[in-house]
């Protein structure tokens, strides 16, 4: 993942510290700021390949960690993985069957970038909406949710939909994001349920 942006300092640091991509530092940054994952949480990571967020999550909790991606994720000790599409309507029940209680859902999934800013942003928001729908089906009350999106005209709509389901919702640009990147994370805490889903 990191190599497509060249071997900059974040990429080199990730390799030195044993992470699979520079994205690990984004989750570390989010965790330091918002305490998303507690030490006994069960965590579901959507769009988890190649697995750098899973590496960080495994170090944050003694609970279960499950990574889901369309592509196989190379094995990690203490982490379960699944090749699946997060649009699959049967996926939430499968996940609950594997983990029981789900305390945290995170998604660092990103669309394949076309270079057309408005199209890429719309696809990122669509992925965010799919991740939100999944989270609303599996999270226990009081659970937390983090999803990556891109800033643009559709972003506030996604942010508002997340606010329908969580008591605390913030938009945060990670210090580890590349300069000039439009990516932004929605950090949602204290799930109140899916009752406002239209």
């Amino acid at each position: 993942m990191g190599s497509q942006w060249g071997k900059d300092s974040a990429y080199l640091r990730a390799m030195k510290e044993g992470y699979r991509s520079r994205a690990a530092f984004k989750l570390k940054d989010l965790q330091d700021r918002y305490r998303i994952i507690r030490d006994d949480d069960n965590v579901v990571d959507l769009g988890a390949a190649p697995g750098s967020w899973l590496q960080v999550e495994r170090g944050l909790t003694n609970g279960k960690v499950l990574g889901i991606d369309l592509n196989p994720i190379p094995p990690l000790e203490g982490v379960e993985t699944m090749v699946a599409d997060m649009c699959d309507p049967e996926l939430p029940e499968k996940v609950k069957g594997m983990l029981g209680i789900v305390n945290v859902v995170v998604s660092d999934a990103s669309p394949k970038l076309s270079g057309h800013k408005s199209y890429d942003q719309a696809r990122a928001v669509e992925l965010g909406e799919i991740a939100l729908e999944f989270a609303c089906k599996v999270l226990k009350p009081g659970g937390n949710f983090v999803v990556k999106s891109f800033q643009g005209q559709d972003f506030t709509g996604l942010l508002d939909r997340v606010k329908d389901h969580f008591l605390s919702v913030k938009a945060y640009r990670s210090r580890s994001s590349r300069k000039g990147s439009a990516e932004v994370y929605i950090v949602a805490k204290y799930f109140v349920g899916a009752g406002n889903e239209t």
Side-chain angles (χ1 to χ4, degrees):
M1 292 289 285
S3 59
Q4 68 180 330
W5 303 108
K7 292 181 171 60
D8 61 10
S9 59
Y11 172 82
L12 294 172
R13 181 181 163 209
M15 296 305 103
K16 182 178 179 181
E17 295 186 21
Y19 292 115
R20 292 179 175 178
S21 82
R22 57 182 289 154
F25 302 122
K26 298 174 188 178
L27 181 57
K28 281 175 165 283
D29 183 19
L30 289 161
Q31 175 71 9
D32 287 346
R33 189 173 181 91
Y34 294 107
R35 307 303 298 171
I36 301 149
I37 299 170
R38 294 151 294 201
D39 61 10
D40 59 350
D41 282 343
N42 292 341
V43 180
V44 178
D45 188 331
L46 300 172
S52 61
W53 275 34
L54 294 171
Q55 291 175 288
V56 175
E57 291 149 12
R58 182 67 284 163
L60 293 173
T61 179
N62 295 313
K64 297 176 182 177
V65 176
L66 172 63
I68 300 170
D69 201 281
L70 287 169
N71 300 304
I73 301 165
L76 282 166
E77 186 175 352
V79 173
E80 294 185 77
T81 62
M82 181 192 303
V83 175
D85 187 335
M86 60 182 177
C87 296
D88 180 354
E90 297 181 3
L91 184 61
E93 287 305 316
K94 289 178 183 175
V95 167
K96 286 191 285 186
M98 292 175 71
L99 299 189
I101 291 171
V102 177
N103 307 95
V104 180
V105 173
V106 299
S107 175
D108 195 37
S110 183
K112 283 189 166 59
L113 299 180
S114 69
H116 296 283
K117 191 173 180 180
S118 60
Y119 175 80
D120 291 339
Q121 194 268 339
R123 286 284 296 119
V125 167
E126 182 183 5
L127 278 177
E129 289 173 342
I130 293 166
L132 173 62
E133 183 178 352
F134 172 87
C136 286
K137 289 176 179 175
V138 302
L139 275 177
K140 67 167 286 187
N144 297 335
F145 174 59
V146 174
V147 63
K148 179 166 73 178
S149 191
F150 294 159
Q151 290 173 316
Q153 62 180 2
D154 300 322
F155 176 74
T156 53
L158 174 61
L159 189 65
D160 287 343
R161 283 187 282 281
V162 176
K163 287 177 180 177
D164 285 341
H165 305 289
F166 294 84
L167 291 179
S168 172
V169 179
K170 308 283 187 187
Y172 179 65
R173 177 175 162 76
S174 173
R175 293 170 297 179
S176 297
S177 294
R178 295 179 310 280
K179 287 181 181 177
S181 170
E183 78 176 13
V184 61
Y185 289 90
I186 297 174
V187 181
K189 300 186 74 174
Y190 314 116
F191 179 58
V192 294
N196 293 338
E197 195 79 48
T198 55

